[in-house]
Amino acid sequence: GTACNASEHLDGSLGGRAVLVVRGGCTFFTKVRNAQARGAVAVVVWSKQSDEVLAMGCGAPDPCSGVSIPAVMVGRKAGEGLALALSRGVAVELVLQPALRGEHF
């Protein structure tokens, strides 16, 4: 899903899991906040339209307050690979090494 609606079904229980969401439809902050509220421990934003990866950040009107989980963006090819693996029931391990601090997730 896109994680743009707090009540959106995001493919089952997110408790303790990272979630793959599609870029677009709302701000990065909204996606991460909504996934966190559903129990996710991390968010991977999939840019389905290109392999361009952006630094996701916050700004007015979304101050990043209340977000405590990490989020990363992956390009089209990486996202397709993750989505295919997940659709086949393959367990995917996500290892994040934070590089950015402050106004970024």
Side-chain angles (χ1 to χ4, degrees):
T2 62
C4 289
N5 185 325
S7 63
E8 177 183 354
H9 175 70
L10 293 171
D11 298 324
S13 172
L14 300 181
R17 296 178 183 208
V19 61
L20 178 64
V21 299
V22 177
R23 179 181 177 200
C26 62
T27 66
F28 298 126
F29 171 78
T30 299
K31 292 176 182 297
V32 177
R33 182 191 60 208
N34 289 341
Q36 177 180 288
R38 301 282 307 240
V41 297
V43 175
V44 177
V45 178
W46 172 14
S47 181
K48 286 181 90 170
Q49 302 304 316
S50 81
D51 281 317
E52 181 182 10
V53 177
L54 305 174
M56 298 182 298
C58 297
D62 300 322
C64 281
S65 61
V67 171
S68 60
I69 63 173
V72 297
M73 181 180 286
V74 297
R76 182 182 51 80
K77 291 177 187 173
E80 288 171 353
L82 285 170
L84 180 61
L86 293 170
S87 73
R88 293 181 175 170
V90 175
V92 176
E93 181 177 344
L94 180 64
V95 178
L96 301 175
Q97 297 178 329
L100 301 173
R101 299 261 186 235
E103 292 297 313
H104 299 275
F105 292 108

